[in-house]
Amino acid sequence: MTGVRAVQVPVLAIDGPSGSGKGTVSTTVARKLGWHYLDSGAIYRVLAHLALTRNVGTDDVPGLVALTRQLDIDFTEDGVRLNGELVGDVIRTEEAGVRASHVSRIPEVRRSLLAWQRSRARPPGLVSDGRDMGSVVFPDAFCKIFLTASSEKSAERRYNQLREKGFDVNIAKLLREIAERDERDATRKVSPLKPAEDAVLIDTSDMDADEVVSRVMEEVKKRL
Ligand code: DC
């Protein structure tokens, strides 16, 4: 015993399927609180992107695990950096999301990324978004939110996000890809997409981003 107790860093976990509004809400809440932000989906997206550029298959377990050990990711104001270089929007396409969903099914990959994700919990606090933030990565999070939205609304949001980034998207194809991705994420054996038992569920279908942010801030303030 050193007599020094580890400082408990408050973690707000925001999970949910694709298009539920997690990213926008999490970054806004993190800014309001002045806390760090962890976009866990970006880690799987960057890993899948790196695998593609290095010719490592999405089912090559040892190859992917080796890549997780070389991942030097940083989230900066101007975007995600890999080994100091801005990755840019290549990881934001729906195809990149689908590849990320494939590599994220592998238990060894998830295990290898666990400690790094947890190390992001630094004072004064962390807002983390993903699929298993409240259920697996940060089970002690002081506040857990699970956002949902109707499939039409999710597809519409993703459509607008992708169009804003200048991507050419077909709404019918997107609707299908998102449904398949969510199904894959929700039915995998490890860390499936599902609310933690103590998560607050918020259906964002009929809410705009500001309303969801206010709702999440209410839950945070109740607990802080
Ligand atoms: O949140 P996103 O759309 O950027 O995530 C891309 C994929 O990464 C998602 O379909 C599944 C995977 N993912 C995951 O398995 N666990 C997380 N905590 C975050 C994302």
Side-chain angles (χ1 to χ4, degrees), residues 165-194:
K165 289 191 188 296
F167 297 125
D168 193 15
V169 243
N170 170 306
I171 187 90
K173 181 166 173 264
L174 187 63
L175 195 67
R176 203 172 50 243
E177 283 174 341
I178 290 179
E180 282 172 11
R181 180 146 74 94
D182 286 340
E183 171 73 9
R184 187 180 315 108
D185 294 346
T187 55
R188 68 184 174 217
K189 289 204 184 77
V190 282
S191 309
L193 162 70
K194 69 161 198 237

Side-chain angles (χ1 to χ4, degrees), residues 22 40-42 44-45 97 100-101 104 110 130-133 181 185 188:
K22 293 179 289 57
S40 63
Y44 294 100
R45 285 174 182 263
S101 166
S104 72
R110 302 196 75 85
R131 305 292 185 289
D132 62 340
M133 296 295 101
R181 180 146 74 94
D185 294 346
R188 68 184 174 217

Side-chain angles (χ1 to χ4, degrees), residues 1-7:
M1 283 283 286
T2 60
V4 179
R5 285 183 56 200
V7 181

Side-chain angles (χ1 to χ4, degrees), residues 47 50 54 56 60-71 108-109 112:
L47 173 64
L50 197 61
R54 302 263 179 95
V56 174
D60 174 355
V61 179
L64 289 167
V65 170
L67 287 184
T68 62
R69 304 215 172 98
Q70 298 165 27
L71 277 188
E108 291 85 344
V109 165
S112 177

